[in-house]
Amino acid sequence: MELSKKLQDALNKQVAFEYEAAYKYDGMRIYLKDLGAPGATKWMELQTWEEVHHAEDFINFIKSVDGQVEIHAIEGQTTDYDGLVSVWEAGLAHEKEITASIKSILEIAIKEKNYEAENFLRTYVDEQVEEEEHFTDVLELLKKAGDDKAAIFKVDGILGTREK
Ligand SMILES: [Fe+2]
């Protein structure tokens, strides 16, 4: 099925949104490295690359249905945060924005009866449930650790065990 201009524009916007997430998480990674939290740094590095893969996945989908890919500009992102909790709070807030964006594109696909796009986007609705869960899980661990340096050190070790 041919991609409508409206759906194509929304998908291209999502490509930029995914790259923006990668850019944002790389800013967090830089902050975490300076903070001296190697496990948290590794976690965020993997998250950064995951977002790049999401962007590529959207690009591949647009191309698979003979759409035109556009790469939009991405805004600069901060490397300035106020501790580990603030990083994961900002990350979770961003993931919620991404979820809302994907759902709004899915609504367009449903309205236009574009089943290929609908199927593709539904896998991303599932993906976003996981993404929000990942951020929430870390946030809970960090909040439990509070100001306890030994506990924070332990959480950092757990974050460092992330493999993909
Ligand atoms: Fe993503």
Side-chain angles (χ1 to χ4, degrees):
M1 178 173 184
E2 209 180 305
L3 209 52
S4 72
K5 172 92 170 77
K6 188 177 180 185
L7 198 48
Q8 180 173 291
D9 286 350
L11 288 164
N12 275 317
K13 241 177 89 188
Q14 188 63 32
V15 170
F17 213 4
E18 298 290 344
Y19 277 129
E20 187 193 279
Y23 219 31
K24 187 178 284 287
Y25 297 150
D26 207 36
M28 292 177 179
R29 180 192 64 81
I30 291 161
Y31 169 79
L32 293 166
K33 192 166 186 344
D34 287 346
L35 197 67
T41 304
K42 185 189 168 192
W43 194 99
M44 205 51 83
E45 184 178 352
L46 290 170
Q47 189 63 37
T48 301
W49 284 112
E50 190 167 336
E51 300 306 338
V52 172
H53 291 139
H54 291 168
E56 288 172 344
D57 205 17
F58 273 84
I59 288 171
N60 290 338
F61 175 75
I62 295 167
K63 289 190 77 69
S64 77
V65 290
D66 294 327
Q68 286 279 336
V69 174
E70 286 163 12
I71 300 290
H72 297 296
I74 310 167
E75 267 181 51
Q77 302 293 325
T78 185
T79 58
D80 187 22
Y81 290 91
D82 187 22
L84 290 162
V85 168
S86 80
V87 169
W88 267 270
E89 274 175 349
L92 179 60
H94 194 69
E95 286 302 322
K96 285 183 175 169
E97 281 179 37
I98 293 175
T99 302
S101 168
I102 287 170
K103 284 181 178 170
S104 74
I105 308 170
L106 175 59
E107 277 169 27
I108 299 171
I110 291 170
K111 225 178 253 169
E112 295 185 358
K113 295 188 167 46
N114 187 323
Y115 300 116
E116 291 88 349
E118 187 182 331
N119 281 343
F120 173 74
L121 289 160
R122 281 193 192 280
T123 65
Y124 269 88
V125 172
D126 292 341
E127 170 70 25
Q128 282 309 117
V129 172
E130 270 181 40
E131 293 286 78
E132 286 188 26
E133 234 172 49
H134 288 160
F135 276 85
T136 303
D137 289 350
V138 175
L139 203 48
E140 276 172 11
L141 282 175
L142 289 170
K143 281 184 175 167
K144 244 184 249 169
D147 292 329
D148 181 343
K149 284 216 167 83
I152 294 169
F153 188 75
K154 232 179 172 176
V155 173
D156 189 61
I158 293 169
L159 295 183
T161 63
R162 176 171 175 175
E163 279 174 352
K164 64 180 180 75

